[in-house]
Amino acid sequence: MIRLIDHGVFLTKQGDIIENRDIREKDEGRKKTMAYGILQAHNKSGDRENLKLTFDALVSPDNNYVNILQTARASGIRKFPVPYVLSNCHHTLCAVGGTINEDDHVFGLGNAKKYGGIFVPPYRAVLHQYMREMMAGGGRMILGSDSHTRYGALGTMGIGEGGGEVAKQLLGRTYDVKTPPVLAVRLTKTPRPGVGPQDVALALVAATFKNNFNKNKILEFVGPGIGNLSMEYRMGIDVMTTESAALSSVWCTDEKTREYLREHGREDAYLQMMPEDGAYYDGMIDIDLSQVECMIALPFHPSNALPIREFKERMEEMVREVEAEGRKIKGSKGKPFSLMSHVRDGEFYVDQALISGCSGGLFENIVAVADILKGYGIPGNGLNLGINPASLPVMADLMEQGIAGELAVCGVTLRPAICGPCFGVTDVPADNQVSIRHMTRNYPNREGSKPGQGQMAAACLMDARSIAATVRNGGRLTAATELSVDYRNLAYHFNPQIYKNQVFDNFGKGNDKENLVMGPNIADWPPMASLRKHLLLKVAGSYEGSVTTDELIPSGEASSFRSNPEKISEYTMISRDKDYVGRAKAVRELERQRQAWAGAGCFGEAAGEKEGQAERPEASEGTEVPVQRKEYGANGLKNILSVLCGQEQCGMEDILIGSAMVSQQIGDGSSREQAASCQKVLGGFANIANEYATKRYRSNLINWGILPLRTEEELNLPVGTWIFVKNIRQVIEEKREMVELQVLGMPENGDVKTSGILECTLDNLTDDERKILLAGSLINYYKGNS
């Protein structure tokens, strides 16, 4: 089905391997890829290895555009330099927080009026569908603050990054990256009836995620199999390449691509694209589409994918494995997580079915569902099927061609064009229920449950066709290939008048006199300290395995507070470690105490403390901050600092105190910048990991002034460990990669001794990244250079 080639290959423009090619020709061969041409056309550095990229368009959803706009405003923005689409598809039906969501929409519209943006009101389109229909085209690059920014099927390289990178583009700066490796994804033959794009995508993710085969690389889709796929089929595969940890993707284009753009009134955006003969790739993924089976991705990651057939063969064993993993996630709160009740008479039964958004809500997927359910009804005594089409034009055509009516008769509910189910804002299953979904992710809590409150559900990813087959069989897990179905080949007809009448396109027409309306939840970023000579860290969170961005800041309810940095920071790690916030705040209070001591020029009473006493840090609402007596005043922190200052011949003003997070891997998942900004708001100044799962998360850390320290050594840094990073400013200023951490252990009563040395690296930092880290954040850096 899928073969991985983990070495360089030369290909013809048709995607065939050229044997016995001289490896010395690889440098010239790299220039013959599609990716090379696009990257160099957008590169402002003049250096083909160290890229400084600008983009043709930008896009952000309403769960992060307020933060981005606030960052850009704090940094001195005057106008949007390229088309910037503000989409309102993530927080719409969610009413948590009262007026918060609509307050953000009002703020977004005001920014579009003031700086010249494009505002897509709620319920009109999922952001990625709008960009496909209206913005993507051959040879272009689009940067989005959503991790599934992928428009490769139209010849556009889309990159999903944190909000800081979008803010940089708004301020006329560049996206700096070393030229990424490029992998060929060769498609051959044709999928079987009933096998959909999600099946191909899940097979690709399963083969490449856990071994890091695609990590931070560009996927270039080539081969004769492309011509056998419709445009929507290609898009459905393409958008899921994010889940393989790829940086971006691009496909060969053809007459089907031209026809799609012509249908959308944008034929001039078509560019015929294919590699040149002799193109060199750093590896290859060979996919025989005819061998792909109907897939299921088990909780709690898209890479836990396997054929439905194989799952059925090992059903009880695999369900018990999922149960065990779920119980680790849920912990001891409430009754143990249980799924075995879903195994009955040798079959697996599900409770909920959803098809939604940028991956599932495409016209052809929904028509296939109608074909499978034709003549069947969904009784109201259990399983339901809900569909969120990807855009209002898709919904309109489903109605125009009668598909919506067919689905309504079957019992399917069509909902507005929003991303809600995809990240747990709507359609949350009941406790211990299983939802099958044609969406992008099935991480823990992604379906909306709250293990910390004793409730937990699970989501499996499947293609819309197998979801419909399962619904048709009353919830019994069924691959679509098990059924005989007459599939219609209906074409999607796009009505441009829908967007023309309803989308506010103000690009290039901003009005500086426009007053921005800021709702009561919209708050400015708090002051952020710059990096000092030395850094004293205390480990506030130490975890085994992987820490995902969904754990750092959960989706759903928590992100309703996205526009208030302090409020949303209260949710940091709440689903995995409810005490993290309190511990981080305690360290933040230590830094405030150090500042008071430094300002007073001495220790102890001159800073407002009496010998041997400890003040309780002031907690934000809803957060309990523990008293840690031995780490305050004369009994602890004072002694640590005085010893360190004495050793280093420095003053109190030369040391900065911050919290640190430790784990083997940090940052798998969403591009949401709050995963890093919340750490910083709580006083975080470093993460220590064996691996950062994605470039976008590492970029987020840097943009918020958090050191992305990485080590090859085994991590044994429990919560409470003190770490001293000597001369960190000098290390960064001198462009050194290696950083030496002095592990102090958990000193008490001034017994400060180094218990070990941990060698870390900052890897390759650009000059701007170093300046941002020294300044303490992207905002500080731009303020100082505006």
Side-chain angles (χ1 to χ4, degrees):
M1 181 167 63
I2 294 183
R3 179 171 65 109
L4 304 183
I5 300 176
D6 193 14
H7 58 75
V9 295
F10 292 91
L11 298 183
T12 67
K13 66 173 63 177
Q14 291 78 26
D16 297 324
I17 294 178
I18 302 174
E19 302 289 354
N20 302 319
R21 194 66 174 256
D22 191 335
I23 196 66
R24 290 175 293 184
E25 298 181 36
K26 70 178 182 180
D27 285 342
E28 284 303 309
R30 292 184 196 279
K31 298 178 183 178
K32 297 179 179 181
T33 64
M34 294 181 286
Y36 179 87
I38 296 174
L39 290 171
Q40 292 305 320
H42 292 80
N43 179 26
K44 305 304 178 185
S45 72
D47 180 346
R48 57 176 281 194
E49 296 300 326
N50 298 294
L51 307 177
K52 290 184 175 292
L53 302 173
T54 58
F55 292 80
D56 300 294
L58 309 171
V59 61
S60 293
D62 53 347
N63 69 327
N64 60 37
Y65 67 53
V66 172
N67 293 156
I68 296 166
L69 294 167
Q70 287 288 69
T71 300
R73 289 177 64 242
S75 304
I77 190 171
R78 296 290 180 266
K79 66 177 182 177
F80 295 158
V82 297
Y84 183 26
V85 176
L86 303 178
S87 172
N88 297 275
C89 54
H90 276 58
H91 287 281
T92 44
L93 289 174
C94 176
V96 174
T99 68
I100 286 175
N101 290 327
E102 195 58 25
D103 288 342
D104 284 358
H105 297 164
V106 170
F107 182 72
L109 178 58
N111 277 266
K113 292 178 178 178
K114 187 177 183 72
Y115 301 116
I118 301 170
F119 186 82
V120 182
Y123 310 123
R124 273 61 171 194
V126 170
L127 75 163
H128 300 310
Q129 183 68 4
Y130 181 82
M131 299 305 283
R132 292 165 182 155
E133 293 182 333
M134 300 301 292
M135 304 297 289
R140 299 181 183 179
M141 292 195 75
I142 294 176
L143 182 70
S145 56
D146 183 275
S147 48
H148 293 99
T149 304
R150 289 286 189 272
Y151 317 117
L154 291 164
T156 294
M157 282 182 56
I159 297 179
E161 273 281 0
E165 294 300 326
V166 174
K168 286 180 184 178
Q169 293 290 311
L170 292 175
L171 295 164
R173 269 64 170 196
T174 56
Y175 178 79
D176 301 344
V177 64
K178 284 191 173 293
T179 298
V182 181
L183 301 179
V185 183
R186 183 172 66 177
L187 304 181
T188 58
K189 301 185 180 178
T190 305
R192 289 176 284 173
V195 172
Q198 184 80 329
D199 297 314
V200 179
L202 290 176
L204 173 63
V205 173
T208 57
F209 176 79
K210 292 179 181 177
N211 56 15
N212 288 333
F213 195 81
N214 292 352
K215 184 176 177 179
N216 295 330
K217 299 172 185 175
I218 295 173
L219 305 184
E220 192 157 304
F221 285 78
V222 299
I226 291 177
N228 300 327
L229 305 178
S230 70
M231 286 307 300
E232 286 197 344
Y233 205 113
R234 300 177 200 182
M235 292 171 184
I237 298 171
D238 188 58
V239 74
M240 287 293 292
T241 59
T242 295
E243 300 309 319
S244 74
L247 178 69
S248 188
S249 58
V250 64
W251 293 55
C252 292
T253 61
D254 55 18
E255 285 304 307
K256 290 182 180 179
T257 318
R258 186 198 297 273
E259 177 56 34
Y260 179 91
L261 291 167
R262 182 188 298 124
E263 174 66 26
H264 288 77
R266 299 193 300 115
E267 188 176 0
D268 59 344
Y270 174 72
L271 180 67
Q272 185 178 23
M273 296 174 58
M274 65 176 62
E276 298 178 44
D277 275 321
Y280 177 83
Y281 296 91
D282 296 283
M284 191 170 82
I285 303 167
D286 210 351
I287 304 179
D288 180 345
L289 294 169
S290 70
Q291 295 300 309
V292 176
E293 300 183 56
C294 294
M295 304 287 288
I296 181 171
L298 300 177
F300 296 93
H301 198 277
S303 63
N304 294 333
L306 71 164
I308 292 174
R309 168 192 56 77
E310 186 176 329
F311 169 71
K312 287 185 173 184
E313 292 170 357
R314 303 169 50 206
M315 188 185 311
E316 290 200 21
E317 170 196 346
M318 303 193 83
V319 170
R320 292 194 186 281
E321 289 176 0
V322 172
E323 270 190 345
E325 181 64 22
R327 289 176 181 179
K328 287 182 185 177
I329 295 166
K330 185 176 183 180
S332 59
K333 198 85 170 180
K335 296 180 179 179
F337 177 60
S338 175
L339 290 182
M340 283 305 297
S341 61
H342 292 79
V343 178
R344 301 194 293 270
D345 300 324
E347 300 285 352
F348 188 78
Y349 287 82
V350 303
D351 307 290
Q352 183 198 61
L354 294 168
I355 298 166
S356 179
C358 60
S359 63
L362 302 178
F363 180 82
E364 291 173 7
N365 290 337
I366 299 170
V367 172
V369 170
D371 292 337
I372 291 169
L373 293 178
K374 184 177 182 181
Y376 292 83
I378 304 173
N381 61 355
L383 175 68
N384 292 301
L385 172 58
I387 297 178
N388 294 85
S391 69
L392 192 56
V394 172
M395 175 79 86
D397 200 40
L398 290 170
M399 292 189 288
E400 183 71 22
Q401 298 199 48
I403 305 302
E406 294 176 19
L407 292 169
V409 170
C410 293
V412 178
T413 58
L414 289 182
R415 289 88 172 277
I418 62 171
C419 305
C422 193
F423 61 103
V425 174
T426 63
D427 300 285
V428 182
D431 187 46
N432 287 333
Q433 282 196 346
V434 175
S435 177
I436 52 173
R437 303 182 167 197
H438 189 155
M439 297 175 193
T440 56
R441 287 186 170 144
N442 63 336
Y443 295 170
N445 319 103
R446 194 76 178 196
E447 76 300 309
S449 64
K450 303 180 186 301
Q453 298 179 18
Q455 50 170 266
M456 187 163 178
C460 300
L461 300 183
M462 293 166 52
D463 187 83
R465 292 151 187 79
S466 290
I467 290 174
T470 299
V471 170
R472 173 170 147 174
N473 281 341
R476 176 169 57 83
L477 183 64
T478 305
T481 49
E482 297 177 39
L483 306 179
S484 178
V485 178
D486 291 326
Y487 291 102
R488 288 170 286 183
N489 186 25
L490 298 181
Y492 166 46
H493 301 297
F494 174 75
N495 185 346
Q497 204 64 31
I498 294 174
Y499 288 149
K500 184 177 181 180
N501 288 343
Q502 301 180 54
V503 172
F504 177 62
D505 187 346
N506 197 45
F507 175 62
K509 296 174 282 189
N511 178 9
D512 189 56
K513 294 182 173 59
E514 182 74 27
N515 291 320
L516 298 177
V517 179
M518 297 178 66
N521 185 64
I522 298 176
D524 291 329
W525 292 106
M528 297 180 188
S530 60
L531 197 60
R532 293 181 177 271
K533 182 177 181 180
H534 309 299
L535 181 60
L536 179 61
L537 297 169
K538 187 180 181 189
V539 176
S542 184
Y543 310 101
E544 289 290 327
S546 174
V547 177
T548 69
T549 51
D550 269 45
E551 291 171 323
L552 282 159
I553 280 296
S555 54
E557 177 187 355
S559 56
S560 293
F561 299 101
R562 62 205 171 269
S563 305
N564 188 307
E566 187 68 33
K567 282 186 179 178
I568 193 171
S569 72
E570 301 282 353
Y571 289 86
T572 309
M573 294 299 292
I574 195 169
S575 64
R576 182 162 176 178
D577 181 0
K578 62 182 177 59
D579 295 323
Y580 174 83
V581 171
R583 291 193 296 265
K585 282 190 173 184
V587 180
R588 184 175 69 178
E589 187 62 25
L590 296 181
E591 167 59 15
R592 291 173 179 169
Q593 185 67 74
R594 181 207 62 81
Q595 292 174 18
W597 283 330
C602 56
F603 297 108
E605 293 184 6
E609 281 201 84
K610 293 182 179 179
E611 185 74 13
Q613 290 186 346
E615 291 184 6
R616 183 181 183 81
E618 185 176 334
S620 298
E621 183 181 352
T623 302
E624 184 71 16
V625 179
V627 173
Q628 300 182 36
R629 182 181 178 85
K630 289 184 178 180
E631 294 169 4
Y632 285 85
N635 280 342
L637 177 65
K638 183 184 73 173
N639 291 329
I640 294 173
L641 290 174
S642 62
V643 171
L644 291 174
C645 286
Q647 289 174 346
E648 303 304 326
Q649 297 297 308
C650 66
M652 184 68 70
E653 70 278 2
D654 292 323
I655 294 181
L656 177 71
I657 301 173
S659 58
M661 180 178 291
V662 178
S663 184
Q664 278 82 28
Q665 184 193 73
I666 311 179
D668 178 29
S670 171
S671 64
R672 66 179 70 119
E673 65 173 300
Q674 294 97 334
S677 65
C678 286
Q679 292 180 66
K680 186 57 179 284
V681 169
L682 292 171
F685 262 90
N687 279 8
I688 306 169
N690 295 130
E691 177 186 12
Y692 291 99
T694 59
K695 179 200 173 296
R696 57 181 176 267
Y697 175 71
R698 183 175 177 273
S699 296
N700 280 340
L701 292 178
I702 293 168
N703 286 331
W704 288 106
I706 299 175
L707 298 175
L709 297 168
R710 187 182 62 78
T711 182
E712 301 289 341
E713 298 182 35
E714 183 178 349
L715 289 169
N716 183 22
L717 301 170
V719 167
T721 301
W722 286 96
I723 299 167
F724 186 57
V725 191
K726 178 182 175 181
N727 293 323
I728 184 60
R729 278 195 72 90
Q730 183 179 354
V731 168
I732 294 174
E733 287 169 346
E734 295 179 354
K735 300 184 179 182
R736 293 187 242 162
E737 287 189 11
M738 297 309 298
V739 182
E740 187 178 86
L741 277 57
Q742 297 180 28
V743 181
L744 307 179
M746 297 180 230
E748 297 180 359
N749 299 320
D751 185 19
V752 183
K753 295 180 181 178
T754 300
S755 63
I757 299 294
L758 183 66
E759 293 285 344
C760 291
T761 178
L762 287 168
D763 290 314
N764 296 310
L765 294 172
T766 67
D767 288 344
D768 275 357
E769 287 175 336
R770 292 178 185 278
K771 293 172 184 176
I772 291 167
L773 287 172
L774 291 170
S777 70
L778 180 74
I779 294 174
N780 290 358
Y781 172 57
Y782 285 149
K783 275 184 179 178
N785 292 276
S786 59

